[in-house]
């Protein structure tokens, strides 16, 4: 665990340069605006340990799967969000010396991500050869107001010398993905042009048999150089070649003068523009933002983030580390996905790195949707559901590749366009519980919003496809006289190819049950609409529904009668049952043990049985949840970023407050403190929503009960109080929990009744109550 980031309520601060942790800091200080983003790299370049990363949302490459053997149904490729054109670069030469913080002496250094404003700022004083001292100050952001643009202000002051400076802002498309399966570049240069202080590149993804249409991205830049506030009129030397454009300005800078570079850039994708429009639109975009200028763009950025924080901020009194942690998580969620484009989703690394390919996982449905339901306009979460609906036919095709028929749908474990592209067989073929998470998201959205229209317009078709898959995937066991599910991997990926994973069996049957309930409700309320769906899906109403009900009534769930706990899988008790305390010196096991040893052990990567008890806690009594929690949590190593938040929420509900706080701090500061030694390759974006849930669903006990928003709040001992904002069915509430009272402020024009500790509380429009 690292501990070099300064605790601060609103900022991520690196005091003094830590080159050994630079890639971690680059991840932590990544920027984005939903359309584009980049890691916290230095503008002037750095020859030390660094992972250069710039990304454009929705642009990917189907990198051919690299395996030594093949199986029927195996994906042909693994989709990669591409490391795109580097637009932030500014090469600096002072005299003949290239400015590089890896080779010069660093006297002072401070790097700050201002989360309140969405701005990355850096100050440094360095000593160059000959004892020349130079002060550097940079500020940049990806604009939330102009979401295909970014801006940089980079200044230098020679403190004890006068010399010639060579300034070269550039666009560089000669980049690669570090995770390329075959160490190849994924880009071809299509066009390049530069003149004056402007430059444009058009790159196209390489041809690939698995991609019908290649992506093109036009990146444009314009820059201005000033000395003590006055623009230079010197000649700009142009460089323009395939995948690279630059403009160089040379000038003398005297001791004490400030030379400042303003650089503006845009990234426009062929997903949004026709090929022949890319450069003209990029030029128009550049003209528009440069006319605004840096200061106005910055003011709009601050205003846009203020609007976000007004809806989603959580304040914590008396614990700066916890406060920093929660805002860090909320900030990255806010800049990764805005919900403006239903074609986009939430990659596990967002705009912070390449690992996991940047594709869509079940994380979105299981962890992220609750956050967006409560902190953004209703359409944001709905668009995440629409994304899956539009991929329904692909899900049917994915199932067909594995031998399923008649409209059975298997949603992919990993996808960009609805097609499965995960390249590990035990995940691709066996971790099928992801289908259940997508069904659960439909239920979760409907329960929270009260919006039944999505289920009837789109959701029921998805539920029917998933239910058909479960029916075919389950088989009857003559030995048990029950239905079973064989050869699966549950959420705990430290067990593969097991039989009757309790969670998978449960969520499969829950999906069948929920689908039956939706059909029954629609039959009573809108039989015409139901008949349309029956016709569209070729649903055999009597036959299929009877089969689903028979499975629900006769499913096998492994259970230990002695301990009175559900078994993670049929053979779990054959393992040597140890606790994490027994192997404390050997953790993390995923970096120290062989895979064979891990698979044979009892140790659990993340919530598995407990994942089901978290989803469906209303179907189990507290004693059952407690027994299972006390059995499984001591065996859980939490080596998945998705694990601590579920345990924190369950522990809070059980009154295990110390454990709840321990797990909260682990999830909130997972990346900030690099708990799992893996922050350098990007942040864990999707699990960050779990941090929000740990406060709101955990400590505040937020649920939806009989259509009412409900709370059962308490304060961790380490805090003096906390508050959060939450949207619910058109209202916006601010909930404040102190040691003396609970207050709820209604900032909306309509009244609302909520439950607080099981008591109904009426809150008038624009009013507040204190309890």
């Amino acid at each position: 665990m690292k501990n070099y980031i300064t605790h601060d309520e609103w900022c991520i601060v690196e005091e003094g340069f830590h080159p050994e942790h630079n890639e971690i800091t680059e991840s932590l200080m990544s920027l984005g605006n939903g359309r584009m983003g980049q890691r916290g790299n230095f503008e002037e370049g750095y020859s030390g340990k660094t992972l250069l990363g710039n990304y454009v949302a929705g642009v990917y490459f189907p990198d051919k799967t690299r395996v030594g053997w093949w199986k029927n149904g195996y994906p042909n490729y693994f989709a990669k969000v591409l490391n795109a054109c580097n637009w932030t670069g500014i090469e600096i030469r002072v005299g003949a010396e290239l400015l590089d913080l890896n080779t010069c002496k660093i006297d002072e250094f401070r790097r700050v991500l201002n989360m309140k404003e969405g701005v990355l700022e850096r100050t440094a004083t360095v000593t160059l050869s000959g004892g020349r001292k130079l002060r550097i100050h940079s500020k940049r952001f990806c604009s939330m107001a102009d979401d295909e643009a970014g801006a940089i202000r980079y200044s230098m002051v020679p403190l004890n010398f006068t010399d010639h400076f060579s300034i070269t802002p550039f666009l560089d498309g000669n980049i690669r993905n570090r995770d390329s399966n075959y160490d190849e570049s994924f880009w071809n240069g299509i066009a390049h042009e530069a003149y004056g202080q402007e430059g444009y590149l058009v790159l196209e993804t390489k041809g690939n048999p698995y991609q019908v249409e290649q992506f093109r991205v036009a990146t444009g830049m314009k820059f201005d150089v000033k000395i003590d506030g006055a623009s230079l009129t010197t000649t700009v030397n142009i460089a323009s070649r395939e995948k690279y454009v630059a403009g160089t300005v040379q000038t003398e800078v005297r001791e004490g003068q400030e030379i400042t570079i303003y650089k503006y850039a845009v990234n426009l994708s062929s997903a949004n523009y026709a090929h022949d429009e890319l450069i003209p639109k990029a030029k128009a975009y550049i003209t528009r933002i440069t006319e605004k200028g840096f200061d106005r763009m910055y003011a709009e950025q601050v205003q846009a983030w203020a609007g976000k924080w007004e809806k989603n901020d959580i304040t914590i009194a008396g614990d700066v580390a916890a406060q920093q942690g929660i805002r860090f998580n909320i900030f990255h969620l806010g800049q990764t996905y805005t919900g403006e484009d239903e074609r986009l989703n939430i990659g596990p690394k967002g705009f912070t790195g390449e690992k996991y390919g940047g594709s869509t996982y079940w994380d979105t449905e299981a962890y992220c949707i609750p956050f967006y339901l409560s902190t953004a306009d209703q359409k944001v979460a709905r668009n995440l559901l629409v994304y899956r609906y539009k991929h329904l036919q692909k899900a049917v095709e994915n199932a067909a590749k594995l031998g399923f028929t008649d409209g059975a749908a298997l949603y992919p474990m990993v996808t960009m366009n609805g097609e499965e592209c995960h390249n590990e067989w035990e995940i691709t073929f066996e971790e099928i519980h992801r289908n259940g998470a997508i069904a659960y998201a439909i239920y979760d959205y409907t329960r929270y919003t009260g919006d039944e229209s999505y289920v009837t317009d789109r959701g029921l078709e998805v539920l029917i496809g998933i239910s058909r898959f479960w029916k075919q995937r389950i088989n009857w066991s003559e030995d048990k006289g029950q239905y079973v599910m064989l050869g699966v991997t549950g959420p705990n990926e430290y067990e593969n190819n097991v039989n009757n994973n309790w969670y998978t069996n449960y969520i499969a049957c829950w999906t069948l049950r929920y689908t039956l309930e939706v059909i029954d409700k629609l039959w009573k309320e809108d039989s015409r609409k139901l008949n349309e769906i029956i016709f569209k899906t070729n649903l055999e109403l009597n036959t299929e529904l009877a089969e689903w009900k028979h499975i629900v009534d006769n499913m096998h769930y492994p259970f230990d009668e002695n301990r009175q706990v559900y078994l993670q899988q049929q053979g779990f008790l054959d393992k040597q049952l140890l606790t994490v305390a027994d192997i404390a010196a050997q953790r993390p096991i995923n970096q120290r043990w062989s895979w064979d040893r891990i698979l044979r052990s009892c140790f659990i990567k993340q919530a598995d049985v407990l994942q089901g008890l978290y989803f469906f806690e209303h179907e189990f009594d507290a004693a059952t949840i407690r027994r299972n929690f006390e059995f499984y949590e001591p065996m859980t190593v939490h080596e998945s970023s998705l694990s601590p938040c579920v345990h924190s929420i369950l522990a809070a509900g059980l009154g295990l407050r110390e454990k709840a706080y321990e797990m909260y701090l682990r999830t909130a500061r997972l990346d900030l403190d690099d708990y799992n030694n893996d922050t350098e390759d990007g942040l864990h974006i999707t699990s960050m929503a779990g941090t929000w849930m740990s406060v709101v669903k955990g400590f505040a006990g937020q649920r939806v009960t009989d259509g009412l928003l409900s709370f059962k709040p308490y304060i961790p001992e380490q805090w003096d109080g906390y508050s959060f904002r939450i949207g619910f069915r058109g209202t916006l509430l601010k909930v404040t929990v102190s040691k003396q009272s609970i207050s709820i402020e209604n900032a909306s024009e309509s009244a609302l009744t909520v439950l607080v500790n099981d008591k109904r509380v009426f809150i008038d429009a624009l009013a507040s109550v204190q309890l």
Side-chain angles (χ1 to χ4, degrees):
M1 192 172 84
K2 314 299 187 301
N3 190 27
Y4 71 99
I5 296 297
T6 302
H7 291 181
D8 183 280
E9 292 187 351
W10 276 109
C11 295
I12 308 303
V13 183
E14 180 190 24
E15 291 282 5
F17 185 40
H18 298 76
E20 72 280 12
H21 299 323
N22 186 51
E23 289 186 346
I24 296 172
T25 314
E26 289 175 339
S27 296
L28 299 178
M29 300 197 178
S30 298
L31 295 173
N33 59 15
R35 291 282 184 192
M36 56 182 273
Q38 83 274 145
R39 290 167 58 82
N41 309 117
F42 295 164
E43 290 85 359
E44 70 276 11
Y46 180 68
S47 61
K49 186 179 181 183
T50 183
L51 173 58
L52 182 67
N54 290 270
Y55 310 98
V56 179
V59 175
Y60 70 95
F61 183 82
D63 195 12
K64 182 173 173 57
T65 300
R66 187 171 192 167
V67 295
W69 43 267
W70 208 262
K71 291 185 180 294
N72 289 334
Y74 203 90
N76 292 308
Y77 66 88
F78 187 75
K80 302 286 177 66
V81 167
L82 296 189
N83 197 346
C85 176
N86 174 17
W87 66 267
T88 63
I90 306 172
E91 182 183 284
I92 309 290
R93 290 187 180 272
V94 183
E97 184 173 355
L98 179 68
L99 178 59
D100 180 351
L101 269 64
N102 188 49
T103 58
C104 62
K105 180 177 178 291
I106 300 175
D107 303 314
E108 297 176 341
F109 182 94
R110 193 171 195 261
R111 184 165 26 174
V112 179
L113 174 65
N114 183 331
M115 299 181 291
K116 191 172 187 178
E117 300 178 349
V119 173
L120 176 60
E121 193 163 4
R122 177 166 55 100
T123 55
T125 301
V126 302
T127 301
L128 306 174
S129 61
R132 296 170 299 166
K133 290 189 177 296
L134 182 70
R135 187 171 66 233
I136 301 166
H137 179 228
S138 69
K139 179 183 285 190
R140 79 166 183 255
F141 55 91
C142 291
S143 174
M144 281 290 180
D146 300 292
D147 65 3
E148 292 167 303
I152 301 170
R153 181 188 187 277
Y154 187 99
S155 65
M156 296 171 288
V157 177
L159 298 178
N160 63 352
F161 68 97
T162 296
D163 210 332
H164 279 85
F165 280 62
S166 176
I167 314 295
T168 307
F170 62 83
L171 303 176
D172 185 7
N174 292 290
I175 36 75
R176 295 173 182 263
N177 273 49
R178 181 181 285 184
D179 67 349
S180 167
N181 282 341
Y182 292 89
D183 195 30
E184 62 178 324
S185 170
F186 296 135
W187 294 104
N188 288 322
I190 298 298
H192 53 93
E193 58 181 77
Y195 42 85
Q197 294 166 303
E198 291 185 58
Y200 299 88
L201 279 182
V202 178
L203 303 179
E204 182 178 67
T205 54
K206 289 187 174 181
N208 189 290
Y210 311 117
Q211 195 166 33
V212 175
E213 184 177 355
Q214 296 148 259
F215 287 102
R216 287 190 180 182
V217 175
T219 304
M221 73 165 181
K222 188 171 184 178
F223 65 91
D224 187 21
V225 181
K226 297 183 177 183
I227 292 184
D228 287 343
S231 292
L232 290 179
T233 56
T234 185
T235 301
V236 179
N237 296 316
I238 301 300
S240 181
R241 56 182 183 270
E242 185 182 13
K243 297 199 282 188
Y244 181 87
V245 294
T248 300
V249 172
Q250 295 180 333
T251 185
E252 182 181 77
V253 184
R254 303 189 64 79
E255 179 180 336
Q257 286 186 315
E258 181 181 57
I259 183 167
T260 303
I261 305 100
Y262 293 92
K263 185 178 183 183
Y264 307 88
V266 298
N267 281 303
L268 274 57
S269 162
S270 61
N272 304 310
Y273 301 91
H275 286 187
D276 61 356
E277 290 185 324
L278 283 171
I279 285 186
K281 293 288 187 181
K283 290 179 178 178
Y285 212 128
I286 283 286
T287 297
R288 180 166 62 83
I289 63 173
T290 53
E291 285 177 352
K292 287 185 181 183
F294 186 89
D295 290 342
R296 181 178 163 192
M297 287 185 70
Y298 176 59
E300 290 175 350
Q301 173 79 349
V302 173
Q303 183 179 17
W305 269 106
K308 283 182 171 289
W309 288 115
E310 183 64 31
K311 291 182 178 180
N312 62 24
D313 190 23
I314 293 179
T315 63
I316 297 171
D319 190 337
V320 176
Q323 177 68 86
Q324 183 183 48
I326 189 63
R327 282 189 174 138
F328 175 75
N329 285 263
I330 293 171
F331 171 78
H332 279 288
L333 286 165
Q335 70 173 3
T336 298
Y337 182 76
T338 62
E340 295 298 322
D341 190 336
E342 65 188 27
R343 298 169 300 171
L344 300 178
N345 209 282
I346 306 161
K349 294 292 181 182
F351 298 117
T352 73
E354 301 168 13
K355 192 175 180 181
Y356 304 122
S359 305
T360 303
Y361 285 63
W362 69 291
D363 308 14
T364 293
E365 283 74 25
Y367 295 88
C368 296
I369 280 181
F371 170 79
Y372 293 105
L373 278 172
S374 299
T375 64
D377 188 271
Q378 183 173 309
K379 72 175 183 179
V380 174
R382 187 183 177 98
N383 276 347
L384 290 171
L385 301 185
V386 171
Y387 175 90
R388 293 294 194 179
Y389 174 76
K390 290 191 170 183
H391 289 171
L392 176 57
Q393 186 53 44
K394 285 286 188 181
V396 172
E397 293 171 12
N398 292 334
K401 291 175 184 177
L402 303 183
F404 296 88
T405 60
D406 302 321
L410 175 60
Y411 277 89
M413 185 67 183
V414 178
T415 193
M416 273 294 189
N417 63 0
E419 188 172 38
E420 177 65 74
C421 62
H422 198 279
N423 59 3
E424 296 178 39
W425 69 269
E426 69 274 14
I427 306 300
T428 305
F429 299 138
E430 295 185 349
E431 200 165 334
I432 53 178
H433 65 81
R434 74 247 191 182
N435 246 17
I438 291 165
Y440 183 84
I442 297 170
Y443 161 77
D444 202 19
Y445 170 86
T446 305
R447 174 182 58 171
Y448 195 88
T449 64
D451 175 15
E452 300 278 352
S453 66
Y454 180 80
V455 178
T456 55
D457 292 344
R458 296 182 173 95
L460 182 52
E461 294 175 50
V462 173
L463 292 172
I464 289 169
I466 293 173
S467 294
R468 285 169 163 167
F469 171 83
W470 288 132
K471 188 268 173 185
Q472 296 178 41
R473 185 61 172 79
I474 291 163
N475 65 276
W476 180 261
S477 167
E478 292 291 345
D479 177 64
K480 290 183 170 58
Q482 291 178 303
Y483 288 99
V484 295
M485 188 143 30
L486 309 178
V488 302
T489 297
N492 172 34
E493 294 171 342
Y494 288 177
E495 285 187 322
N496 297 156
N497 198 30
V498 300
N499 296 332
N500 294 311
N501 170 258
W502 181 85
Y503 171 73
T504 306
N505 285 15
Y506 197 91
I507 203 167
C509 284
W510 175 87
T511 302
L512 295 172
R513 179 159 41 100
Y514 179 52
T515 307
L516 291 169
E517 291 171 0
V518 170
I519 291 172
D520 183 63
K521 188 173 189 293
L522 192 56
W523 177 258
K524 295 172 182 175
E525 296 179 356
D526 192 347
S527 60
R528 182 190 61 81
K529 180 64 177 178
L530 178 60
N531 282 322
E532 290 177 4
I533 296 171
I534 290 171
F535 179 77
K536 185 175 183 179
T537 60
N538 295 314
L539 181 67
E540 297 289 342
L541 194 62
N542 294 328
T543 303
E544 290 190 75
L545 270 58
E547 291 172 338
W548 297 349
K549 187 176 187 307
H550 196 259
I551 292 171
V552 170
D553 293 340
N554 294 278
M555 189 63 173
H556 174 67
Y557 298 105
F559 186 74
D560 178 15
E561 293 288 351
N562 181 41
R563 296 176 179 83
Q564 290 289 292
V565 297
Y566 299 107
L567 294 180
Q568 190 166 277
Q569 47 92 1
Q570 198 73 55
F572 191 78
L573 292 182
D574 292 331
K575 297 171 179 275
Q576 182 183 12
L577 300 184
L578 303 173
T579 70
V580 171
D582 295 322
I583 58 160
Q586 301 174 54
R587 297 176 64 193
I589 62 173
N590 63 8
Q591 297 174 23
R592 300 189 179 187
W593 283 14
S594 69
W595 191 236
D596 169 73
R597 186 179 180 188
I598 290 173
L599 291 177
R600 288 186 287 108
S601 80
C602 69
F603 295 110
I604 302 168
K605 182 181 180 184
Q606 68 189 78
D608 196 305
V609 170
L610 299 184
Q611 181 74 38
L613 296 177
Y614 158 66
F615 271 169
F616 306 112
E617 64 176 355
H618 55 286
E619 299 185 355
F620 300 91
D621 59 46
T624 297
I625 297 173
R626 181 180 295 275
R627 284 195 304 272
N628 282 274
F629 186 90
E630 292 177 348
F631 180 65
Y632 286 110
E633 199 285 326
M635 290 185 275
T636 305
V637 291
H638 302 292
E639 289 173 10
S640 164
S641 64
L642 301 175
S643 186
C645 62
V646 172
H647 290 81
S648 180
I649 295 166
L650 288 175
L654 293 170
L656 304 172
R657 296 187 175 186
E658 282 303 313
K659 176 58 69 174
Y661 183 76
E662 174 196 341
M663 291 292 100
Y664 163 77
L665 208 57
R666 185 181 179 103
T667 187
R669 300 193 63 85
L670 178 76
D671 289 314
L672 284 172
D673 295 336
D674 196 21
Y675 269 88
N676 290 338
N677 296 315
D678 59 1
T679 302
E680 63 184 19
D681 54 28
L683 306 178
H684 298 84
I685 299 296
T686 48
S687 73
M688 289 177 170
T691 304
W692 180 90
M693 290 193 298
S694 295
V695 175
V696 177
K697 289 180 175 285
F699 304 143
Q702 179 269 315
R703 303 289 188 273
V704 176
T705 306
D706 297 327
L708 297 179
L709 195 63
S710 67
F711 303 97
K712 292 184 178 179
Y714 77 89
I715 301 177
E717 289 184 8
Q718 295 84 351
W719 299 357
D720 296 327
Y722 62 97
S723 70
F724 59 90
R725 293 172 173 86
I726 186 167
F728 182 72
R729 301 188 182 184
T731 62
L732 178 65
L733 305 180
K734 180 180 180 181
V735 180
T736 302
V737 184
S738 71
K739 293 182 177 179
Q740 293 77 35
S741 64
I742 302 163
S743 67
I744 305 177
E745 177 185 346
N746 184 358
S748 307
E749 298 285 346
S750 55
L752 185 71
T753 296
V754 300
L755 294 175
V756 180
N757 294 323
D758 296 324
K759 295 181 179 179
R760 295 171 71 93
V761 177
F762 176 79
I763 314 170
D764 209 345
L766 303 175
S768 61
V769 297
Q770 187 164 321
L771 307 168

